[in-house]
Amino acid sequence: MSNPYEARILRVLDYIHDNPAGDLSLDALADVAAMSRFHWHRVFRSLTGETLSQTVRRMRMHRAAVELSAGATDIAALARKMGYADAASFTRAFGETYGQSPGSFRARQDFRPFPPTFVKGLPLMHSVEIMDFPNRALLAMAHQGPYPEIGRTFEKLSAIMATRDLFGQVVQMVAVYYDDPSVTEPQSLRSHAAFEMRTQVTAAAPLESLSLPAGRHAVLHFKGPYAGLPAAYDQLYGTWLPASGEIPADSPSFEIYLNSPMDTAPEDLLTELCVPLK
């Protein structure tokens, strides 16, 4: 069951995501929440585990990293888009988060699409192994739109989990993906942000229950910022899978997040990319 603050927090998270260059001050976000500025910040921090300024910076920097990995070249324009007055202040904030300049981040070879399969003799950038997984029971929230923007839904899902006091039953964070982004329009891509649960939990809207079947899976072990995941998928599907002789099962791919961006530096984030196998 939701509590009186759930809708306020979800409204604020949507506003931050949709207005990275807007007024995201404490007073402005208190107005969005329709709550007194004298109390709103304490409520937000208590329920989410972050201050508003930490949430705003993390969401802005993740969006910037995604755009840089996709090839954004005008740093000044990106700075303005993320709500910074100039390129210098943006570059400083990005460096404090990612440990390198925006230009260096954009130039990373491991974030570029992997070479096509007809290029022989190239080493794999990430290790892949076949693992047996048990059935997983998930509590999830649907996301439709570009896959790199699923973080928006995770922010909202986490807020709901906190307001409903469900984190004590969480095993780990999972994302489930249903479409191929190379053939599906970005706004039509379907996915779920989810948490694997230790026990069965009744899913009250907007949450829903999902199950991932047990079986053999190809698992790519990825370390680094989430902006590098699309290139890792290119390697998994374009290089490892054809060479392995394995055939994917009729079940969606998913990601398992072994730590959290809320308390882990981007370079130390650990993600398992999982493809079910026959």
Side-chain angles (χ1 to χ4, degrees):
M1 180 180 296
S2 63
N3 75 24
Y5 299 109
E6 184 175 294
R8 299 174 192 267
I9 291 178
L10 298 185
R11 192 160 61 240
V12 167
L13 292 173
D14 273 335
Y15 186 85
I16 294 170
H17 185 276
D18 291 338
N19 300 277
D23 181 1
L24 301 181
S25 64
L26 174 58
D27 285 353
L29 294 178
D31 287 343
V32 173
M35 189 171 177
S36 166
R37 66 183 178 87
F38 298 109
H39 307 291
W40 165 241
H41 188 260
R42 288 186 177 182
V43 168
F44 183 90
R45 184 179 59 186
S46 295
L47 291 176
T48 67
E50 285 187 316
T51 66
L52 276 163
S53 62
Q54 288 173 328
T55 298
V56 167
R57 172 180 276 208
R58 183 168 51 78
M59 292 175 74
R60 280 172 164 169
M61 291 299 100
H62 172 68
R63 292 191 66 179
V66 168
E67 295 208 18
L68 287 166
S69 66
T73 58
D74 190 333
I75 303 302
L78 184 58
R80 292 191 297 270
K81 188 175 182 180
M82 295 300 117
Y84 287 84
D86 51 55
S89 58
F90 167 72
T91 297
R92 183 165 54 252
F94 192 90
E96 290 171 354
T97 302
Y98 285 93
Q100 57 191 301
S101 70
S104 296
F105 187 91
R106 184 185 61 232
R108 288 181 59 156
Q109 294 292 327
D110 55 335
F111 285 179
R112 297 182 179 180
F114 207 69
T117 57
F118 57 77
V119 178
K120 303 297 184 181
L122 291 174
L124 298 178
M125 294 182 184
H126 312 283
S127 64
V128 180
E129 63 177 317
I130 295 176
M131 302 176 66
D132 284 308
F133 284 162
N135 179 77
R136 299 176 188 274
L138 308 180
L139 198 58
M141 188 172 183
H143 174 80
Q144 182 163 327
Y147 285 161
E149 293 183 9
I150 197 174
R152 171 186 191 154
T153 302
F154 268 116
E155 298 281 354
K156 296 166 71 174
L157 173 62
S158 296
I160 292 173
M161 299 287 286
T163 61
R164 299 184 186 183
D165 196 24
L166 292 172
F167 270 119
Q169 301 176 59
V170 167
V171 177
Q172 56 195 357
M173 190 166 66
V174 179
V176 186
Y177 299 99
Y178 302 98
D179 301 305
D180 181 352
S182 68
V183 297
T184 304
E185 290 297 321
Q187 296 306 319
S188 297
L189 292 169
R190 300 165 300 144
S191 56
H192 273 97
F195 285 101
E196 181 182 359
M197 308 301 289
R198 289 192 178 89
T199 59
Q200 187 68 36
V201 176
T202 301
L207 305 187
E208 54 189 291
S209 296
L210 297 178
S211 180
L212 294 176
R216 299 169 64 249
H217 292 72
V219 181
L220 182 146
H221 302 282
F222 180 85
K223 181 179 181 181
Y226 296 147
L229 292 174
Y233 273 108
D234 284 347
Q235 171 184 331
L236 181 56
Y237 278 102
T239 301
W240 183 88
L241 192 61
S244 70
E246 298 285 348
I247 303 296
D250 187 20
S251 183
S253 63
F254 57 95
E255 295 169 3
I256 300 173
Y257 306 98
L258 303 182
N259 47 20
S260 169
M262 291 184 66
D263 57 13
T264 305
E267 285 297 326
D268 295 325
L269 291 170
L270 300 174
T271 308
E272 294 180 341
L273 280 59
C274 307
V275 176
L277 301 173
K278 289 185 176 181

